[in-house]
Amino acid sequence: MSEIGTDWRVLDGVTTAWFDAPSLTEGAVLAGRIAELSAQILVDLRATGLRVRLDSDEHAEAVSAAARDLGLAANPAALQQLSIVLESADPSAVRPFWQRALDYALGDDGGLADPLRRDPDVRIRQSTEPRPLRNRIHLDVVRPAAAVEQAGLGEAYGAYGVCHADPDGNEVDLVPGDALSEKAGTADWQAVFSAMACYRTTSPTQQRDLVASAAALADDVGFPLLVDLRPGLVIIDSGKDQWVDDAHGLELDFTDLAGAIQTAARELGATADPGLPRFAQLFFDAADVAAVRAFWLAALGYIPDQRAWNTDIYDPRRLNPELVFQEIDLSETERRRQRNRIHVELAVASDLAQSRLAAVVAAGGRLLDGSDDRWRVADPEGNEMVIVSGA
């Protein structure tokens, strides 16, 4: 990595860095400088720092220099990228279903990618192994109600009337979102498990100023807001369930913060795009929820939700999707033995891959096979993860 500096690593072919920052406000200063370098650089601002994904390696040194000038240090150990792999005997049959469900773009490799580069890629790979029973892994996706209707997946089924299946039987709960509240001051916001507002911007200056305003407002009340910069766009997000009263332990009505951010955005001339909010998570069925959950906590370096009723685990930097666990019917022995058609792929920096593999095995993972840069591991109940080194 000497040609682009020691701050940077390659994940999924993208030159990426994480810079620790003590607050949203201080991280927003670096985000603003990056926006002025190139509108194509992707920045994910968090209360503890920011992830930067470059459009071109030529900007690496300028970003690193800006971070050093602000006293912000890189932390390559924070970097990982989770994606979803779907195996099918006929990828061309299942691809249109998932493209509609997620509103993803078709990738060069035949997979699907979030155009906003927030939610996980879906890679679709050929398989000849028959697996007719229901998976033990499915996706939950929440989108605006109009977008759910436009996806045209047909009549839903299941306990909540939101489940759909692709031609192979892989399931998604496609859930319609709703307005965050009835307050006029939060009309730009939607509840899609997260509270989210997406603002179109017309210049780097407008984008920088909106990010700085949102960061300052969130820091003032101690809320760990998620702020993502994309070309001509600022996405402001509470994180899943973090806007509800019992999530954050703050004396805060989140709708007050949402209203203040909306006012700032409109005063700056930014325009809300109500069709963009989307939330996606992975749902695991498990016979022993505690054991399977403990494995994935260790394997991914995730944190458990502190609410006793909640089985969610999440990325401490909220850069990768949440995982949720529920008990499976123990009588479904054949389903429990069958390999899933869906598994997780985890890209980590090449210099950290061996230590990650060791940690996953120590957490109870079974190494199924491997090569110089890919290792397939199973959790205690056979759910698979492939660790990928570097690109």
Side-chain angles (χ1 to χ4, degrees):
M1 302 298 295
S2 58
E3 70 275 11
I4 56 173
T6 58
D7 293 348
W8 302 87
R9 300 294 186 274
V10 175
L11 294 184
D12 275 351
V14 179
T15 303
T16 308
W18 170 271
F19 296 95
D20 289 327
S23 68
L24 284 164
T25 301
E26 292 180 67
V29 178
L30 178 56
R33 293 191 185 184
I34 293 170
E36 292 171 349
L37 277 175
S38 169
Q40 301 305 311
I41 299 176
L42 309 182
V43 179
D44 305 307
L45 174 63
R46 303 292 183 263
T48 56
L50 61 167
R51 180 176 65 177
V52 184
R53 288 175 285 175
L54 297 180
D55 60 327
S56 168
D57 289 353
E58 70 180 274
H59 294 118
E61 178 50 37
V63 173
S64 291
R68 287 193 300 270
D69 183 53
L70 296 168
L72 306 183
N75 180 6
L79 297 174
Q80 62 180 21
Q81 185 72 31
L82 190 150
S83 57
I84 296 162
V85 178
L86 192 156
E87 297 180 10
S88 175
D90 187 357
S92 64
V94 301
R95 188 179 294 113
F97 171 92
W98 289 100
Q99 191 167 9
R100 294 198 307 274
L102 292 159
D103 193 28
Y104 273 18
L106 183 64
D108 293 337
D109 62 354
L112 301 170
D114 175 8
L116 301 182
R117 302 291 298 280
R118 301 185 80 236
D119 293 321
D121 288 354
V122 175
R123 298 187 165 107
I124 305 174
R125 302 212 172 115
Q126 187 80 38
S127 172
T128 58
E129 180 182 347
R131 282 167 276 181
L133 303 178
R134 285 181 61 209
N135 278 325
R136 299 183 306 281
I137 301 175
H138 74 266
L139 272 73
D140 283 353
V141 177
V142 192
R143 296 176 58 198
V148 170
E149 185 175 352
Q150 290 168 7
L153 298 185
E155 186 172 351
Y157 61 91
Y160 300 101
V162 295
C163 190
H164 302 266
D166 73 10
D168 284 353
N170 305 300
E171 292 178 329
V172 60
D173 282 358
L174 184 56
V175 181
D178 202 355
L180 177 62
S181 78
E182 296 180 356
K183 296 180 181 179
T186 63
D188 296 347
W189 290 79
Q190 294 194 48
V192 287
F193 286 8
S194 292
M196 195 180 303
C198 302
Y199 287 102
R200 298 287 184 184
T201 56
T202 57
S203 70
T205 299
Q206 188 185 53
Q207 187 179 53
R208 178 200 66 202
D209 291 347
L210 175 52
V211 170
S213 294
L217 288 164
D219 277 347
D220 282 348
V221 295
F223 191 89
L225 201 65
L226 320 181
V227 184
D228 294 346
L229 287 73
R230 299 295 185 264
L233 185 68
V234 176
I235 303 162
I236 304 173
D237 185 352
S238 69
K240 183 193 174 185
D241 292 340
Q242 296 304 291
W243 63 276
V244 299
D245 291 342
D246 67 341
H248 42 65
L250 300 173
E251 293 295 327
L252 169 70
D253 181 340
F254 182 83
T255 60
D256 293 337
L257 175 59
I261 293 171
Q262 175 174 305
T263 297
R266 293 187 176 192
E267 287 177 351
L268 289 166
T271 304
D273 189 331
L276 292 181
R278 185 203 302 110
F279 172 86
Q281 66 181 8
L282 277 167
F283 223 106
F284 285 65
D285 293 344
D288 186 341
V289 167
V292 173
R293 185 173 183 253
F295 169 85
W296 288 96
L297 278 166
L300 299 176
Y302 273 25
I303 292 173
D305 191 289
Q306 296 305 307
R307 291 166 288 186
W309 55 269
N310 196 326
T311 66
D312 290 20
I313 66 173
Y314 62 90
D315 180 348
R317 296 170 183 86
R318 295 194 180 274
L319 298 171
N320 286 285
E322 297 207 14
L323 275 59
V324 187
F325 303 85
Q326 69 179 4
E327 289 187 1
I328 194 173
D329 184 342
L330 297 181
S331 68
E332 296 186 30
T333 53
E334 291 302 313
R335 181 180 169 214
R336 290 163 58 196
R337 290 192 194 104
Q338 175 183 274
R339 278 189 68 215
N340 288 314
R341 294 180 297 274
I342 291 175
H343 69 263
V344 170
E345 193 164 274
L346 182 71
V348 297
S350 57
D351 56 330
L352 301 173
Q354 286 294 336
S355 60
R356 177 57 68 91
L357 176 61
V360 170
V361 172
R366 284 185 298 117
L367 180 61
L368 302 176
D369 55 58
S371 62
D372 290 341
D373 59 1
R374 298 176 69 88
W375 302 270
R376 186 165 62 98
V377 181
D379 76 7
E381 296 190 5
N383 304 300
E384 294 178 12
M385 175 172 68
V386 175
I387 301 171
V388 182
S389 170

